[in-house]
Amino acid sequence: MTHLATDVLVVGAGGAGMYAAVAVAREGRSVLLLDKGLVGRGGATIMAQMTVAAAIAHEEPDDWTLHLEDTLDAGRGICHEPLSRMLCERAPERILEMDRWGTRWARENGHIKQVTAPGHRRKRCCYVDFLSTGPAVAATLRHQVSIADRVRRVSNVAAIEVCVADGRVRGAVALDLSTGSLVTMAARAVVLAAGGLTKIFRRNSASTNMGGEAYWLALEAGAELVDMEFVQFFPIAHLAPRLVGMDPIMWDPFRYKLGGRLLNGNFEEFIHRYGGQDEGRYTAPRDLASYAILKEVEAGRGSPHGGVYLDFRHLPEATVRSAFGPVIDRLLANGIDLTRTAVEVAPTAHYHMGGIAVDERLETRVAGLFAAGEAVGGPGGANRVSGNAISEALVFGERAGFFAAETAAGADPGWSPAYAERARAELADLRARKGSGPAPGVVSTELQDAMWEHAGPFRSEEGLERALARIHALRRRLPELTIAAGDVFNLDVQDWYELNAMLRSAEAVASSALRRRESRGAHQRLDAPQMSPAFEKNQRVALDHGVLTSRWSPVVRSGVRTA
Ligand SMILES: Cc1cc2nc3c(=O)[nH]c(=O)nc-3n(C[C@H](O)[C@H](O)[C@H](O)COP(=O)(O)OP(=O)(O)OC[C@H]3O[C@@H](n4cnc5c(N)ncnc54)[C@H](O)[C@@H]3O)c2cc1C
């Protein structure tokens, strides 16, 4: 077993994890930056191709307090306001720092160009042309991490347990995917920056690494999760034909800009049947658009792959070409000629507003355990506005790194090999199994189907109870799953840990959704369609002797709301 020691361990090397590592190093502390994929190349950050919201006021007068107002409005009364404030107040610093580090934000007449996006009343969203925002952010941070001499990068190693003794973090145990052996890591502070959970749904925009492992690591360590029911579903994600190397949620800005038509399988406009408007006036909010699409599919009027068509063919070819710019060639390389073909789109699980409960230092209730990025719950409340997720990764990454470094400056809590005993026994047991059931990856697919069918964009008590029954049945099958022999890159072992985390995250989502008997923001209940003042509160989930428990807590207000 390899043993490493560091001041701060950062789990997950997306935007949040890499920024955290840079911030720790800046404070003069050593940092181990761990990723189950390649550092800086897994997760959501590198996939994001749209915008980053920050009130830098380059395009028009703006202020972080206005950004905060928009964020709180979208959050429908249940944002953790100090975290929302931190996000909006500090986003400009991060964007400008990244500018100095060489991120090529799109510019016009010398200033950083900013555009509006759904939920923002000012032009505040920065981007990198063309559809390169996430890759550019990831590349900038990869470079910063590589030149910071106190950062040690470790790829292809997945954290499987955070070790806690006497109420404080001591480090973590991880699985080296390339050798199948365990790695133990002593750390004075740990930052969980392992991203969200949208992979638990059949239709998702996620990378393969977004199975909610941060949540399971936090729960097992004794931390709480908050508002797990709030998953954002994006109404018109790409469905077909196959699209490689492009963001599946790329269509929205083009639809707004050009007036792309949404058509059902019979090539008829349909949004008006559900209270929205057609003919190029896309005023229908995201939940209404999702509802209309799913209803058309349910009525047998869907497109061949179970969505609807997005069609630009009514527009002159020159207009389409000029609006899509070089993107048109990337689409052509995928065999999609927008002047001749309509694409199929459908709602998809895209982002998670819920997550690990932290305080204003990004610390959980476990001393020394911090969280950053999409893994954190609360700043977006019931819904997140466009562009806030990358800002959140950058801002919370930097802050969590700073506070973790501060904590690491204290006394060394010490490490004992006994902390890794449970993980060692679990892995040995997994290896010794002669399972007769399916491989873990097969069960993941069953879970994804159940979550999509019963806990997806539109929920009901009956459906959520079915989802929970299915999750419990699948959990009972964990001990009988077949694990292939071999140590080197054994995908079954890796999938087993991920499935375990996915099942727990799914249970937290479905059980929280069941208890929230109202519709608020992204949580839509068909059997409780109104927002209820009685539910203007947060829901917290914890693990008690292996059982998920929940409690309601008052919303944390900051008193900074200006209007
Ligand atoms: C397709 C897509 C497009 C998007 N577009 C936008 C956009 O335009 N604007 C916007 O604001 N937001 C967008 N988002 C959301 C935004 O990209 C994410 O919320 C944000 O990048 C999350 O950053 P993160 O660092 O928290 O997590 P991630 O970037 O997801 O990184 C998490 C990392 O943790 C690693 N990891 C997971 N489990 C473990 C483990 N057990 N051990 C070690 N490592 C682990 C993963 O491999 C991954 O590298 C988009 C998301 C997607 C999926």
Side-chain angles (χ1 to χ4, degrees):
M1 209 180 326
T2 309
H3 182 71
L4 304 168
T6 182
D7 288 330
V8 178
L9 168 67
V10 177
V11 177
M18 288 193 284
Y19 225 124
V22 171
V24 173
R26 266 204 290 233
E27 294 307 305
R29 299 273 140 203
S30 64
V31 53
L32 202 60
L33 176 61
L34 194 76
D35 202 283
K36 69 184 281 190
L38 295 177
V39 165
R41 295 182 192 273
T45 305
I46 200 165
M47 296 174 74
Q49 294 181 348
M50 299 296 148
T51 61
V52 189
I56 56 173
H58 276 210
E59 193 75 38
E60 62 176 340
D62 196 5
D63 187 75
W64 69 264
T65 55
L66 297 177
H67 186 186
L68 178 60
E69 273 182 39
D70 291 343
T71 300
L72 298 182
D73 284 348
R76 310 287 207 287
I78 59 161
C79 293
H80 186 298
E81 292 185 7
L83 290 181
S84 318
R85 174 188 173 143
M86 181 189 283
L87 165 62
C88 300
E89 193 173 10
R90 290 184 175 266
E93 275 168 41
R94 300 283 69 83
I95 293 297
L96 298 177
E97 181 164 67
M98 299 216 30
D99 191 48
R100 292 194 294 280
W101 286 344
T103 308
R104 293 196 184 158
W105 302 118
R107 299 189 105 89
E108 196 171 59
N109 304 324
H111 70 265
I112 295 177
K113 199 163 159 45
Q114 295 185 280
V115 293
T116 48
H120 296 280
R121 76 187 88 168
R122 293 288 159 92
K123 290 182 178 168
R124 114 171 15 119
C125 296
C126 314
Y127 59 95
V128 178
D129 270 326
F130 273 92
L131 300 180
S132 294
T133 304
V137 164
T140 306
L141 290 172
R142 277 200 309 271
H143 179 63
Q144 290 305 313
V145 157
S146 72
I147 57 174
D149 57 10
R150 290 189 179 85
V151 182
R152 179 167 178 188
R153 292 163 287 164
V154 184
S155 290
N156 294 324
V157 175
I160 56 171
E161 186 177 336
V162 172
C163 303
V164 177
D166 303 324
R168 33 168 336 105
V169 150
R170 307 296 171 125
V173 186
L175 178 71
D176 181 341
L177 305 172
S178 60
T179 62
S181 58
L182 291 182
V183 180
T184 55
M185 290 155 293
R188 295 163 183 233
V190 173
V191 179
L192 291 176
L197 56 54
T198 42
K199 191 186 168 181
I200 64 174
F201 295 93
R202 180 177 67 219
R203 280 200 183 144
N204 65 67
S205 64
S207 79
T208 52
N209 288 352
M210 295 166 70
E213 285 165 64
Y215 306 129
W216 176 235
L217 290 167
L219 272 179
E220 265 208 316
E224 284 185 313
L225 307 181
V226 65
D227 293 345
M228 292 296 283
E229 62 272 40
F230 291 103
V231 178
Q232 188 172 63
F233 294 91
F234 189 83
I236 57 158
H238 189 82
L239 190 60
R242 197 155 175 263
L243 189 61
V244 177
M246 296 187 73
D247 186 338
I249 63 147
M250 59 169 276
W251 294 114
D252 219 21
F254 295 112
R255 182 171 69 114
Y256 279 110
K257 198 155 130 190
L258 286 172
R261 298 164 76 206
L262 276 186
L263 306 172
N264 67 14
N266 303 329
F267 288 95
E268 304 156 341
E269 291 193 312
F270 58 89
I271 287 279
H272 58 277
R273 293 184 191 148
Y274 304 91
Q277 284 184 329
D278 282 323
E279 296 144 11
R281 295 189 302 274
Y282 294 107
T283 51
R286 286 181 175 179
D287 52 356
L288 190 144
S290 293
Y291 183 76
I293 294 169
L294 293 174
K295 281 289 165 194
E296 287 297 295
V297 175
E298 204 176 281
R301 294 191 293 267
S303 60
H305 292 85
V308 295
Y309 290 109
L310 175 62
D311 195 355
F312 295 96
R313 288 176 300 173
H314 57 293
L315 298 164
E317 189 169 330
T319 309
V320 176
R321 285 194 177 280
S322 111
F324 276 84
V327 175
I328 204 98
D329 292 328
R330 286 166 71 178
L331 289 168
L332 278 172
N334 274 278
I336 299 171
D337 180 350
L338 290 180
T339 63
R340 291 193 167 72
T341 342
V343 292
E344 289 180 60
V345 294
T348 199
H350 179 53
Y351 173 82
H352 189 216
M353 274 74 67
I356 302 169
V358 293
D359 62 16
E360 292 161 46
R361 295 178 77 243
L362 279 313
E363 193 169 16
T364 67
R365 68 180 187 179
V366 178
L369 182 60
F370 297 80
E374 191 168 335
V376 169
N383 210 355
R384 145 186 96 95
V385 288
S386 294
N388 265 16
I390 298 182
S391 314
E392 168 188 75
L394 306 178
V395 170
F396 290 2
E398 189 278 336
R399 286 288 79 196
F402 174 82
F403 290 122
E406 198 173 75
T407 294
D412 185 352
W415 172 263
S416 158
Y419 299 152
E421 196 42 47
R422 207 186 66 83
R424 201 198 54 72
E426 185 175 64
L427 181 62
D429 174 58
L430 213 54
R431 288 256 165 70
R433 285 217 192 134
K434 305 262 179 294
S436 55
V442 175
V443 178
S444 298
T445 309
E446 290 181 38
L447 173 67
Q448 289 173 314
D449 285 344
M451 287 302 285
W452 184 257
E453 294 306 326
H454 305 304
F458 296 96
R459 300 158 169 179
S460 67
E461 181 169 334
E462 192 198 344
L464 291 165
E465 273 168 355
R466 277 195 202 173
L468 281 168
R470 195 81 194 103
I471 293 165
H472 292 141
L474 295 177
R475 276 197 70 218
R476 284 194 293 275
R477 289 169 72 186
L478 275 176
E480 68 194 43
L481 302 183
T482 300
I483 307 289
D487 293 333
V488 176
F489 279 110
N490 184 329
L491 289 183
D492 284 342
V493 173
Q494 187 178 331
D495 287 351
W496 188 92
Y497 283 107
E498 187 177 283
L499 172 62
N500 191 31
M502 285 172 72
L503 283 163
R504 282 309 201 165
S505 298
E507 186 182 352
V509 170
S511 61
S512 301
L514 183 62
R515 281 185 293 268
R516 188 175 279 281
R517 288 173 205 282
E518 63 155 358
S519 291
R520 183 182 294 265
H523 169 67
Q524 292 293 317
R525 288 270 302 246
L526 294 171
D527 52 355
Q530 304 303 328
M531 190 159 97
S532 157
F535 282 102
E536 193 169 302
K537 52 192 177 183
N538 301 117
Q539 190 172 184
R540 287 163 183 262
V541 172
L543 196 64
D544 185 6
H545 296 93
V547 177
L548 284 188
T549 59
S550 87
R551 69 182 177 99
W552 294 97
S553 62
V555 176
V556 185
R557 308 280 180 204
S558 66
V560 295
R561 195 158 180 149
T562 51

